[in-house]
Amino acid sequence: MINIDYSILLGSLLLIIGIITTKFSTRLGMPALILFLAVGMIVGSDGLGIIYFDNATYAQLIGVLALIIILFEGGLQTRWTTVKAVLKPSLSLATVGVLITTSVVAVVVNLLFNVPWLEAFLIGSIVGSTDAAAVFAVLKGQNINPKLGSTLEAESGTNDPMAMFLTLMFIQLLTIDETNVFLLILSFFWQMGMGLLIGVILGKLATMAINRINLDSSGLYPIFAVAFALLTYSFTALAHASGLLAVYVAALVIGNSDLTYKTSIFRFNEGFAWMMQILMFIILGLLVFPSQLFTADVMVKGILISVALIFVARPIAVYVSTIKMDFNHKEKIFVSWAGLRGAVPIVLATFPMLAGIADSQTIFNVVFFVVFTSALIQGSTILLLAEKLGLTGPKKSTPAHSLELVSIGKANAEIIEYEIHKEDLLVDKKIVDIIFPENVLINAIIRSDKLITPRGDTCLLEGDILYILTPRSSKGKLKEMFKDHEF
C-alpha cells in the first residue's frame, strides 16, 4: 500500500536534492546529469534502500515525457537564423552521422564480444545518437563558438528519431521472423517527413491560438504552450511518425514567432524542463542496480564500447558527415568530442527489455555504463577543450537585474524587453528625439545592472536594456523599428 504523504515528502526531497546538485556540478565541472543519476542509484534498493524501482514501462513513460518537455524548451530557445546557417551539417550528423556511428559500434561489438550481428546493431543503434538533454544543459549559457553550439544543439534536437527508428527496426528484425526491410525503409521516410510536416503545422496552429485566444490569466499561456507540445507528440506518434522531431520543429516555429507573453512562456518552460530533467535522470538512476552495473563483465564491455564510440565511431561520423562543409580540423575535433550521450540511449535501452529480447538487462547495464562514461569524461572536459582549441568567444554575462511582470489576459498591452546594440539607430539618442509608435512608452532602463528612470533628456547607450510598454496594435510598428534584432 502506497503512503501518499510519504511519497510526496520523498518526491519533494529528491527534487530539492536534484536542484542543489546543480550547484555542485558547476563547481566540480561535470554535467548535472551525472549527479542526478548518482542520486537515483544512491537512494535505490542497492544503495540506501529508500526506493525500490524496477519498472521499465514507467521509466520509459517518464523518460519520453521528459524528452518532450526538454526538446520543446530547447526548440523555443533556438533562433532560426542560427539553425538555418548550420542546417546542412546538423541534418547530416543527425542522419548519416547516426547511421555511421551505429555501424562502427556494431562492428566493434561483434568483433570484440562475438555478439550476433543483429544484436550488435541494436546496441549500436541505442548509443548512436547524441542527447538533447545533455547537450542543452552543458552548452547553455557557455561561450562556445555560436556556429558549433548551434550545430550541436540542432543535431541533438533532430537525431533522436533516427536512433529510435534504427532501435525499433532491429528489435523487429530480432523478434519477428518475416520482416520486410523495404517497408521499414519507407517507414523511416514517412516518420521523418510527416514528423517535420506535422511539427510545422501544429507549431503555426499553436502560435495562432496563443496569440488570438484571450485568456483571463497570463499564467495560463505557458501551460497552453506545453499542452500543444504534448498534443504535437501524441498526434504525430499516433500517425506513426516521429513525435520527438515534430515537437522540436513545432517549438522552433513557436519560439521564432511574434508571440504573446513570450517571456512568461520561455521562463516557465525553462524551469519545467529542469524539473523534468531532474526527475528523468533520478528515475533512470533508480532503474539501474549498481550491484549489476559495476561488475567486471559490464565494466569491461562498457569501457571498450565507450572508447570505440568516443575515439573511433563519433570522429568518423563527424568527418564523413561534414565533408565539403565549412568546418576546419579544430572544429571537427570539438564536434566529435562534444557528442554527449545521455537520457535518450538509456530510454532506448528499455525498449529491448519490454520486447523480451534475450540479454536485454545486460544491454541496459552496458548502455547505462557507456552513458555514464561519456557524460563524465566528455561532459566535464568540453569547455576546457573549446578553450584549448580557441573556439570560445567573449564570456557571457548574466544580468543581475530581474523584472517580474504581472499581466491581465484581457489587457490589450505588453511589456517588451529590448537590448540596444552597437549598430542601433537608438545609440546616443535622447528619448525625446525618438519617434515611437502611438502610445508606446519606455518604462525602465537597465544600465550596468542599475535601474535608470527614463526621462525625455535621457540619452540611450549601447548595452542599455529597455522595458517598453506597447499596445498590441502598435507592436508591429515597434518591431519594424527593431527589425534587425530579436525582442
Side-chain angles (χ1 to χ4, degrees), residues 206-276:
T207 302
M208 184 174 64
I210 290 169
N211 285 336
R212 293 192 178 184
I213 297 178
N214 202 1
L215 301 175
D216 291 334
S217 171
S218 60
L220 292 173
Y221 286 92
I223 300 173
F224 199 37
V226 170
F228 266 101
L230 298 173
L231 174 67
T232 300
Y233 175 85
S234 56
F235 183 82
T236 310
L238 289 173
H240 303 289
S242 176
L244 294 178
L245 177 62
V247 167
Y248 185 72
V249 171
L252 273 175
V253 173
I254 296 170
N256 287 274
S257 300
D258 186 10
L259 203 63
T260 299
Y261 298 112
K262 193 171 190 175
T263 302
S264 299
I265 291 172
F266 278 34
R267 288 177 179 171
F268 173 86
N269 277 280
E270 183 179 13
F272 194 23
W274 266 112
M275 187 183 79
M276 294 304 295

Side-chain angles (χ1 to χ4, degrees), residues 418 424 477-487:
Y418 179 75
D424 248 315
K477 295 177 182 177
L478 186 63
K479 188 174 182 181
E480 184 65 24
M481 286 183 63
F482 302 144
K483 60 184 177 180
D484 295 328
H485 302 289
E486 298 279 347
F487 67 82

Side-chain angles (χ1 to χ4, degrees), residues 133-377:
V135 171
F136 290 161
V138 171
L139 296 184
K140 193 167 189 176
Q142 302 299 333
N143 57 331
I144 302 295
N145 179 298
K147 181 180 76 171
L148 299 180
S150 300
T151 300
L152 291 166
E153 289 180 356
E155 176 201 2
S156 65
T158 56
N159 68 3
D160 297 341
M162 184 67 171
M164 186 171 286
F165 167 76
L166 291 173
T167 299
L168 295 176
M169 181 182 75
F170 286 112
I171 288 175
Q172 189 171 337
L173 290 171
L174 282 164
T175 55
I176 301 176
D177 293 332
E178 296 182 4
T179 302
N180 192 317
V181 178
F182 178 70
L183 290 179
L184 288 175
I185 295 173
L186 287 180
S187 172
F188 169 75
F189 288 104
W190 168 266
Q191 289 185 44
M192 297 301 104
M194 288 305 296
L196 178 63
L197 179 62
I198 294 174
V200 171
I201 292 173
L202 290 184
K204 289 183 177 296
L205 179 63
T207 302
M208 184 174 64
I210 290 169
N211 285 336
R212 293 192 178 184
I213 297 178
N214 202 1
L215 301 175
D216 291 334
S217 171
S218 60
L220 292 173
Y221 286 92
I223 300 173
F224 199 37
V226 170
F228 266 101
L230 298 173
L231 174 67
T232 300
Y233 175 85
S234 56
F235 183 82
T236 310
L238 289 173
H240 303 289
S242 176
L244 294 178
L245 177 62
V247 167
Y248 185 72
V249 171
L252 273 175
V253 173
I254 296 170
N256 287 274
S257 300
D258 186 10
L259 203 63
T260 299
Y261 298 112
K262 193 171 190 175
T263 302
S264 299
I265 291 172
F266 278 34
R267 288 177 179 171
F268 173 86
N269 277 280
E270 183 179 13
F272 194 23
W274 266 112
M275 187 183 79
M276 294 304 295
Q277 188 176 160
I278 292 170
L279 177 64
M280 172 178 63
F281 283 116
I282 289 177
I283 290 293
L284 294 176
L286 286 170
L287 188 62
V288 70
F289 289 77
S291 60
Q292 299 175 7
L293 180 67
F294 297 108
T295 61
D297 180 58
V298 171
M299 290 177 68
V300 168
K301 289 180 178 177
I303 290 172
L304 291 175
I305 293 174
S306 295
V307 170
L309 178 63
I310 296 171
F311 295 102
V312 182
R314 174 66 178 179
I316 291 175
V318 169
Y319 273 80
V320 173
S321 300
T322 57
I323 288 176
K324 295 183 178 180
M325 296 185 192
D326 187 25
F327 287 87
N328 59 41
H329 186 59
K330 287 184 178 181
E331 291 171 336
K332 290 181 180 180
I333 290 175
F334 178 77
V335 173
S336 299
W337 189 253
L340 293 177
R341 268 57 190 175
V344 172
I346 301 177
V347 172
L348 289 179
T350 64
F351 283 79
M353 298 172 71
L354 298 177
I357 300 292
D359 298 324
S360 59
Q361 186 61 54
T362 301
I363 292 174
F364 178 85
N365 290 332
V366 169
V367 169
F368 192 99
F369 193 88
V370 169
V371 169
F372 202 83
T373 305
S374 169
L376 184 61
I377 296 175

Side-chain angles (χ1 to χ4, degrees), residues 315-474:
I316 291 175
V318 169
Y319 273 80
V320 173
S321 300
T322 57
I323 288 176
K324 295 183 178 180
M325 296 185 192
D326 187 25
F327 287 87
N328 59 41
H329 186 59
K330 287 184 178 181
E331 291 171 336
K332 290 181 180 180
I333 290 175
F334 178 77
V335 173
S336 299
W337 189 253
L340 293 177
R341 268 57 190 175
V344 172
I346 301 177
V347 172
L348 289 179
T350 64
F351 283 79
M353 298 172 71
L354 298 177
I357 300 292
D359 298 324
S360 59
Q361 186 61 54
T362 301
I363 292 174
F364 178 85
N365 290 332
V366 169
V367 169
F368 192 99
F369 193 88
V370 169
V371 169
F372 202 83
T373 305
S374 169
L376 184 61
I377 296 175
Q378 293 172 280
S380 59
T381 56
I382 282 180
L383 300 181
L384 178 62
L385 180 63
E387 291 175 0
K388 294 291 185 183
L389 295 175
L391 299 175
T392 56
K395 291 285 184 181
K396 293 184 179 179
S397 58
T398 303
H401 63 86
S402 65
L403 179 64
E404 294 293 337
L405 306 178
V406 180
S407 303
I408 299 173
K410 296 183 182 300
N412 193 26
E414 294 181 35
I415 292 183
I416 292 170
E417 180 182 299
Y418 179 75
E419 182 176 354
I420 298 180
H421 299 77
K422 183 178 180 180
E423 64 276 14
D424 248 315
L425 296 176
L426 303 181
V427 174
D428 296 330
K429 275 195 174 184
K430 292 182 179 180
I431 293 178
V432 71
D433 297 328
I434 302 171
I435 303 176
F436 283 109
E438 187 178 1
N439 295 324
V440 171
L441 179 68
I442 298 177
N443 282 67
I445 302 172
I446 303 295
R447 179 178 298 164
S448 301
D449 296 330
K450 293 182 180 179
L451 177 65
I452 304 294
T453 302
R455 305 180 189 281
D457 60 352
T458 301
C459 188
L460 301 180
L461 305 178
E462 177 190 350
D464 283 356
I465 298 175
L466 312 180
Y467 288 95
I468 307 170
L469 176 65
T470 175
R472 290 181 189 169
S473 58
S474 300

